[in-house]
């Protein structure tokens, strides 16, 4: 826990607070203004689709000073929310502007995530990577729980305008914190002649393609993310109030928090069974939450959170495996390709969930996620590609 890691962790914690507030505020504003499941789906789609653009950031992360990229991400978000807050004050804030602003802000946020992940391995020993990754996730999700739990209440009390204003102030603060407190030596200088953007971009895809059995694992997670997103797309529709939607998000954060805590004690050599048991347990817990869906909201959230505990633990193991197998000089390019592949279909899942909600029962859409988890668990158990990935990883360790 050196100074830079502490600063980076603090920035990510505060940024996660701000992300949760503006996402919930934007979705609920669109819901209040349109009362349309379709437009709710469009809004969540717009919030998720920037993940696919991460792949375009990879060469920039590897070639340019990461501190400057983090400063750029914070500055763009501060400007966006200053504009949205101003338009709200003069009563000129439309649904279209909210959706565009949400897209631009999330696009900037998606630059900061892979930049931070690419920085971490240069700031700590390889032996500490899993603990640091788990600590990052554990810490910011622990505060994210509080944020999501109270976000709905605060939104009802202070309104969308003050949420956007507070976000602008927070991102200005983060800009200053990164500028003055993050001390890293990045001496590489790049000129147009030695920076071949498209060649670097293609290299990231070629690197992932050569991962063999690990590439198959990435594709499986891509499909899993898409199916789970269909179920998550109906959460704003299932929620009757802002407070309920905030509690749904808090349940996801609590589960992810507990899962990241458990991953600290889980050895990566049990990776195969971690994936098998996590998807199986998560699917069962999610199905049980569906049973309580219209009976007891509290039991629904508890079981839903338990499902995300398993998903969160699996995510930490997968992230650590990525960082250890990819060569440090190529982390930016390759991580952004992997994250883009994982998240590229997720926005369409959210959009599909919202669009289908007008014709398909909400309960059936809610069950798409757990059924997919159970099927994936069976797939992990019966196929050998995960064993091959574990064998490769054991050699690297």
């Amino acid at each position: 826990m050196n100074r830079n890691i502490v600063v980076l962790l603090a920035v990510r914690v505060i940024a996660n607070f701000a992300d949760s507030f503006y996402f919930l505020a934007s979705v609920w504003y669109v819901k209040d203004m349109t009362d349309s499941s379709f437009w709710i789906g469009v809004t969540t789609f717009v919030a998720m689709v920037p993940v696919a653009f991460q792949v375009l950031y990879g060469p920039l992360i590897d070639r340019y000073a990461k501190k400057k990229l983090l400063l750029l991400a914070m500055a763009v978000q501060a400007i966006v929310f200053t504009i949205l807050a101003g338009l709200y004050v003069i009563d000129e804030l439309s649904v279209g502007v909210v959706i565009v602003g949400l897209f631009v802000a999330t696009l900037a946020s998606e630059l900061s995530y892979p930049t931070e992940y690419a920085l971490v391995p240069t700031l700590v020993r390889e032996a500490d990577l899993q603990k640091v990754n788990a600590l990052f996730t554990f810490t910011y999700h622990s505060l994210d729980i509080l944020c999501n739990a109270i976000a709905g209440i605060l939104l009802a009390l202070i309104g969308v305008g003050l949420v956007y204003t507070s976000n602008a102030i927070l991102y200005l603060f983060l800009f200053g914190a990164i500028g003055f407190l993050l001390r890293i030596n990045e001496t590489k200088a790049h000129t147009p002649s030695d920076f071949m953007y498209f060649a670097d971009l293609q290299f990231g895809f070629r690197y992932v393609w050569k991962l063999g059995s690990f590439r198959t694992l990435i594709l499986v997670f891509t499909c899993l993310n898409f199916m789970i997103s269909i179920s998550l797309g109906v959460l704003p529709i299932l929620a009757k109030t802002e407070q309920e939607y905030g509690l749904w998000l808090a349940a996801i954060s609590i589960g992810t928090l507990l899962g990241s805590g458990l991953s600290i004690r889980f050895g990566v050599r049990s990776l195969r069974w971690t994936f098998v048991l996590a998807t199986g347990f998560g699917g069962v817990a999610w199905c049980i939450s569906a049973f309580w869906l219209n009976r007891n909201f509290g039991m629904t959230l508890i079981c839903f959170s338990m499902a995300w505990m398993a998903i969160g633990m699996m995510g930490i193991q997968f992230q650590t495996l990525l960082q250890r197998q990819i060569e440090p000089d190529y982390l930016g390019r390759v991580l952004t390709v992997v994250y883009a592949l994982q998240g590229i279909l997720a926005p369409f899942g959210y959009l599909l969930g919202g669009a289908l909600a007008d014709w398909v029962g909400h309960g059936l859409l809610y069950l798409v996620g757990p059924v997919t988890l159970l099927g994936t668990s069976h797939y992990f158990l019966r196929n050998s590609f995960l064993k091959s990935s574990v064998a490769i990883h054991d050699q690297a360790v």
Side-chain angles (χ1 to χ4, degrees), residues 311-327:
I311 295 171
M313 183 173 63
M314 182 172 57
I316 290 293
Q317 301 283 43
F318 182 67
Q319 178 184 313
T320 303
L321 182 59
L322 279 172
Q323 289 173 320
R324 281 178 166 161
Q325 290 211 27
I326 299 169
E327 296 177 50

Side-chain angles (χ1 to χ4, degrees), residues 122-141:
T122 68
L123 302 177
V124 300
R125 299 179 305 164
E126 182 180 335
D128 295 329
L129 260 181
Q130 179 169 328
K131 289 184 179 179
V132 171
N133 285 333
L135 180 62
F136 263 58
T137 304
F138 186 91
T139 303
Y140 69 66
H141 273 294

Side-chain angles (χ1 to χ4, degrees), residues 44-366:
T44 49
F45 168 82
V46 166
M48 298 298 151
V49 77
V51 173
F53 289 88
Q54 278 191 358
V55 67
L56 302 178
Y57 297 145
L60 303 177
I61 293 170
D62 283 339
R63 294 284 186 168
Y64 287 109
K66 297 175 180 59
K67 180 177 177 178
K68 291 182 179 179
L69 294 177
L70 290 176
L71 288 172
L72 175 63
M74 301 305 159
V76 169
Q77 291 176 92
I79 293 171
V80 167
F81 292 115
T82 300
I83 293 173
L84 292 179
L87 290 174
Y88 185 86
V89 169
I90 63 175
D91 199 24
E92 293 291 335
L93 185 61
S94 65
V95 169
V97 172
V98 167
I99 292 175
V100 171
L102 179 62
F103 175 76
V104 175
T106 310
L107 200 62
S109 178
E110 293 300 336
L111 171 62
S112 66
Y113 279 97
T115 303
E116 291 168 3
Y117 288 140
L119 261 179
V120 168
T122 68
L123 302 177
V124 300
R125 299 179 305 164
E126 182 180 335
D128 295 329
L129 260 181
Q130 179 169 328
K131 289 184 179 179
V132 171
N133 285 333
L135 180 62
F136 263 58
T137 304
F138 186 91
T139 303
Y140 69 66
H141 273 294
S142 63
L143 294 178
D144 207 28
I145 293 168
L146 177 63
C147 174
N148 286 327
I150 67 174
I153 298 174
L154 287 178
L155 179 60
L157 291 176
I158 68 176
V160 171
L162 282 179
V163 168
Y164 288 150
T165 302
S166 63
N167 267 31
I169 296 171
L170 281 175
Y171 283 115
L172 283 174
F173 171 78
L174 293 179
F175 181 89
I178 293 171
F180 292 105
L181 300 179
L182 190 62
R183 306 285 177 82
I184 52 179
N185 294 321
E186 296 182 293
T187 57
K188 293 181 181 179
H190 301 284
T191 61
S193 61
D194 67 4
F195 180 19
M196 298 179 292
Y197 177 85
F198 290 104
D200 286 346
L201 190 63
Q202 292 171 8
F203 177 85
F205 283 97
R206 288 198 301 268
Y207 193 106
V208 172
W209 183 257
K210 292 178 181 179
L211 289 175
S213 56
F214 196 40
R215 179 189 66 220
T216 307
L217 181 66
I218 295 169
L219 294 176
V220 170
F221 270 91
T222 300
C223 296
L224 180 62
N225 285 347
F226 171 71
M227 301 304 288
I228 287 178
S229 298
I230 294 175
S231 293
L232 297 183
V234 301
L235 294 186
I237 302 168
L238 291 172
K240 299 179 178 64
T241 63
E242 301 99 314
Q243 292 90 334
E244 279 196 13
Y245 187 44
L247 290 174
W248 276 112
L249 298 179
I252 294 176
S253 296
I254 290 173
T256 307
L257 166 67
L258 295 175
S260 60
L262 287 175
S263 70
I264 297 176
R265 302 182 61 87
F266 250 82
V268 291
R269 295 183 187 275
S270 60
L271 188 63
R272 176 172 177 261
W273 282 105
T274 298
F275 286 148
V276 172
L277 295 177
T279 48
F281 178 84
V284 171
W286 198 327
C287 285
I288 295 174
S289 76
F291 172 79
W292 291 103
L293 194 57
N294 295 316
R295 295 175 174 85
N296 188 311
F297 185 59
M299 287 299 298
T300 299
L301 290 182
I302 290 173
C303 296
F304 185 68
S305 183
M306 291 174 67
W308 279 93
M309 177 181 69
I311 295 171
M313 183 173 63
M314 182 172 57
I316 290 293
Q317 301 283 43
F318 182 67
Q319 178 184 313
T320 303
L321 182 59
L322 279 172
Q323 289 173 320
R324 281 178 166 161
Q325 290 211 27
I326 299 169
E327 296 177 50
D329 289 342
Y330 310 135
L331 266 176
R333 279 168 283 182
V334 180
L335 280 179
T336 50
V337 171
V338 173
Y339 293 151
L341 289 174
Q342 279 193 285
I344 197 167
L345 291 180
F348 293 96
Y350 279 89
L351 180 62
L352 186 61
L356 290 178
D358 289 329
W359 296 282
V360 181
H362 300 166
L364 290 177
L365 292 174
Y366 183 77

